[in-house]
Amino acid sequence: MKNDRIYFWQMINPKEPFELMEKSFAALEKGEVLVKVAGCGVCHTDLSFWYFGVKTRHELPLALGHEISGTVIDGEPEWIGNHVIVPAVLPCGECTMCKKGRSNICRNQLMPGNDFDGGFASHVKVPAKFLCPVPDGVLSKYPLEQLSVVADAVSTPYQVMEKSELEAGDLAIAIGVGGIGTYGAQISKIKGAKVLALDISDEKLTMIKDAGIDATLNVKNMDAKSLKANVKEIAKELGASSAGWKVFEMSGTKTGQELAFNLLSFGGTLSVVGFTMDKVEVRLSNLMAFDAKAIGTWGCKAELYPEIVRLIGERKIKIEPFIETFPMSKINEVFQNSLEHKYSKRPILTPDFD
Amino acid sequence: MKNDRIYFWQMINPKEPFELMEKSFAALEKGEVLVKVAGCGVCHTDLSFWYFGVKTRHELPLALGHEISGTVIDGEPEWIGNHVIVPAVLPCGECTMCKKGRSNICRNQLMPGNDFDGGFASHVKVPAKFLCPVPDGVLSKYPLEQLSVVADAVSTPYQVMEKSELEAGDLAIAIGVGGIGTYGAQISKIKGAKVLALDISDEKLTMIKDAGIDATLNVKNMDAKSLKANVKEIAKELGASSAGWKVFEMSGTKTGQELAFNLLSFGGTLSVVGFTMDKVEVRLSNLMAFDAKAIGTWGCKAELYPEIVRLIGERKIKIEPFIETFPMSKINEVFQNSLEHKYSKRPILTPDFD
């Protein structure tokens, strides 16, 4: 590995293996920095780009990866040497949406591994403006690469919990406790909700129960009616209200979304956090009949990152039980295994280009 | 007609003619009043009960009608002689939901023509607590029976405009400018939005344009793609943003809901105001990809009624062009014609039991 080269795994075509490429350090413009990647998480969105027909905004070939932590080694002087998390959504900070406090849907936003070469690489070139510095106190507890999951898996559900107006005492129903859902369930617990996790994997349900979630339910082969009856029963046991449920769909599957919509009742809120290209058939009028709502969230405002890092530093949000690191050279194997649902933990790839 | 009798049109069975019945004045309990009906609007919800399989909460037979104005003639002394609008949703005012400011989904709520005999009658017995008095200044401009539409057709879209966080300068898209939509479009205009009305009836579109709405578009046979292109163009002409559209589905049809969902884009809000039993097939994940939301609203908080009456009194919300009165004895004909979409104005039935 040469000192002035960037090595990266490039997606050439959908469904084909990533290829190892190299290029020289591009010149940095004002406001930009070069980040030496510590780790980059493999997100369901990467699988969507690679396998499920979602198009990257920048044309292929492209290095994927938007869940990045690393160290600034070049560019804006005040950033050099900083250990940082690169937000998955990098807003402009100047437009109407940004000024309205909706920077996560800034129309000038840039997303690594979507608008430009991302984190499955030795280095990424990014705007410095919204990087989230990782304090030493947090780094003394977690290796930097593990914190890469903050950039999407932890921050996206964090933002949605805010948007859903989750309150202490509410029943929070986390559907799917995989890559995103594990954090969503924990964050709703921190907000004081009574938390019920639904999944089809006993292993994942056990893991999330160990992280302090109130109740779990395996919903494999469960029909909508039995599910609702079960959830009502659990709500009662937990002392939560029978109305105003906050449902968080974090499985990113058609089945999960259908279950989620069917759990909407009076004053309920469905938060669509996971993504699937599949359409679902729903009675939209239920929103009216139940005075309910369905909200979605794209990424997370960079402004919220420091608070998330703080919660991880205080071990209020646990990350270690839910992640597993692999050398980046295993990228093709890891993507294939992710596709086949072989992991119960989120894979993080760490650069091994030496 | 005898002085101590209530005459009413009773729904015996779905799809069958209403039958004229009579009963003696029931004893009034503390907190209750007897209202002599001035007018009762025919709402799509009545058609849903009568024809589309939606069940009333009180078992049949039952007098329908929840859009009532009238005069208090008995019961709580301080109310006697008052001209009032009876809110379609009568909350308890005591429960958690009521105290949280969500009285419209109070679980103890009572709705005339759903929980008890409604307004297609000479008199209705209702709790006095949340009645909305009509000031003389307003009565000098409108006959009391015309104000019956406040109880649902005007108040439901009023509440949804509040919930949708519609702001001055936003593009508001009113889908369906029938019974509810005419008021929804006008209220969004009052809130300072740029308002585009969509319908399949040129007649209705002309009427709403005359009421001061910025733009109209006949969407009959228009596919989703052309519609979106058209709306983008109109947004530009009106100087509205290309993001953050507020879409109000007020047609209560499957086609309308599909169009509405497809118009959701970045930061957009879909408000489901109309009701249909039909399911629709939608990509729910768009809510996530666009950071958008879909909300529903059930009725309207009684607390908001006085403000609506004030806006009507000031002629800011126009009602006369959109209503037509019929003698209540024509109820069967009016329901049948409503079912066949023969009216371009909302029918109000006025008692003629003499």
Side-chain angles (χ1 to χ4, degrees), chain A residues 25 38 76 144 169 174 220 226 231 253 256 277 294:
Chain A
F25 280 6
E76 295 295 317
L144 184 55
K220 197 166 188 173
S226 325
V231 174
T253 64
M277 288 290 276

Side-chain angles (χ1 to χ4, degrees), chain B residues 108-175:
Chain B
N108 308 314
Q109 69 176 248
L110 294 173
M111 177 173 162
N114 188 2
D115 291 297
F116 59 89
D117 279 330
F120 299 132
S122 60
H123 303 78
V124 284
K125 188 181 78 157
V126 293
K129 207 174 195 177
F130 290 102
L131 294 176
C132 172
V134 182
D136 290 342
V138 179
L139 276 177
S140 66
K141 295 180 187 163
Y142 297 91
L144 184 55
E145 66 265 25
Q146 290 193 352
L147 295 167
S148 61
V149 287
V150 171
D152 189 354
V154 190
S155 56
T156 298
Y158 186 85
Q159 168 161 301
V160 93
M161 296 298 151
E162 301 246 315
K163 283 180 74 178
S164 72
E165 296 167 349
L166 185 70
E167 288 175 14
D170 281 349
L171 181 69
I173 305 171
I175 301 186

Side-chain angles (χ1 to χ4, degrees), chain A residues 66-273:
Chain A
H66 54 270
E67 217 174 68
I68 308 166
S69 57
T71 304
V72 178
I73 61 162
D74 199 6
E76 295 295 317
E78 73 273 26
W79 280 96
I80 292 180
N82 261 286
H83 304 297
V84 297
I85 296 160
V86 181
V89 171
L90 295 157
C92 75
E94 308 291 340
C95 68
T96 316
M97 284 295 178
C98 283
K99 287 183 176 155
K100 264 187 166 179
R102 302 197 67 180
S103 61
N104 63 308
I105 50 166
C106 163
R107 301 318 312 130
N108 309 313
Q109 69 177 246
L110 295 173
M111 178 172 162
N114 187 1
D115 291 296
F116 60 88
D117 279 329
F120 299 132
S122 60
H123 303 79
V124 284
K125 188 181 79 157
V126 293
K129 207 174 193 176
F130 290 102
L131 295 176
C132 172
V134 182
D136 290 341
V138 179
L139 277 177
S140 66
K141 295 180 187 162
Y142 297 92
L144 184 55
E145 66 266 24
Q146 291 194 351
L147 296 167
S148 61
V149 288
V150 171
D152 189 356
V154 190
S155 55
T156 299
Y158 186 85
Q159 168 161 300
V160 94
M161 296 298 150
E162 301 246 316
K163 283 180 73 178
S164 73
E165 297 166 347
L166 185 70
E167 289 176 11
D170 281 349
L171 181 69
I173 305 171
I175 301 186
V177 280
I180 289 178
T182 42
Y183 305 112
Q186 291 185 71
I187 297 161
S188 48
K189 187 72 196 154
I190 292 170
K191 299 253 175 202
K194 311 281 187 182
V195 188
L196 164 64
L198 311 181
D199 205 295
I200 52 170
S201 153
D202 281 332
E203 189 188 353
K204 287 183 183 169
L205 289 171
T206 304
M207 282 163 66
I208 201 69
K209 191 89 165 92
D210 290 345
I213 288 338
D214 301 295
T216 60
L217 185 65
N218 191 319
V219 294
K220 197 166 188 173
N221 302 324
M222 196 179 285
D223 65 71
K225 213 171 157 183
S226 325
L227 173 62
K228 206 156 188 171
N230 270 308
V231 174
K232 269 188 187 162
E233 196 52 44
I234 292 169
K236 206 188 254 176
E237 282 166 20
L238 297 177
S241 168
S242 59
W245 292 350
K246 304 280 162 80
V247 184
F248 299 92
E249 204 311 296
M250 300 186 281
S251 75
T253 64
K254 184 177 174 173
T255 318
Q257 289 189 346
E258 282 167 349
L259 287 183
F261 199 89
N262 284 321
L263 281 173
L264 264 188
S265 187
F266 294 100
T269 302
L270 161 61
S271 299
V272 181
V273 194

Side-chain angles (χ1 to χ4, degrees), chain A residues 104 276-277 283 285 291 294 298, chain B residues 276-277 283 285 291 294 298:
Chain A
N104 63 308
T276 168
M277 288 290 276
R283 183 178 296 128
S285 301
D291 204 76
W298 176 256
Chain B
T276 168
M277 288 289 275
R283 183 179 295 128
S285 301
D291 204 76
W298 176 257

Side-chain angles (χ1 to χ4, degrees), chain B residues 265-299:
Chain B
S265 187
F266 294 100
T269 302
L270 162 60
S271 299
V272 180
V273 194
F275 182 86
T276 168
M277 288 289 275
D278 291 340
K279 290 186 169 186
V280 291
E281 210 191 16
V282 293
R283 183 179 295 128
L284 214 51
S285 301
N286 284 3
L287 296 176
M288 176 265 200
F290 293 139
D291 204 76
K293 63 183 169 186
I295 66 171
T297 201
W298 176 257

Side-chain angles (χ1 to χ4, degrees), chain B residues 298-338:
Chain B
W298 176 257
C300 176
K301 291 192 282 189
E303 301 91 296
L304 300 176
Y305 276 61
E307 170 65 6
I308 300 167
V309 172
R310 189 183 66 77
L311 288 167
I312 292 176
E314 293 173 2
R315 297 202 190 276
K316 288 187 177 154
I317 301 176
K318 298 183 184 71
I319 59 171
E320 320 92 295
F322 307 106
I323 52 181
E324 192 171 359
T325 54
F326 297 87
M328 207 170 273
S329 55
K330 301 268 185 204
I331 185 168
N332 286 308
E333 188 184 323
V334 170
F335 265 69
Q336 190 58 41
N337 287 341
S338 295

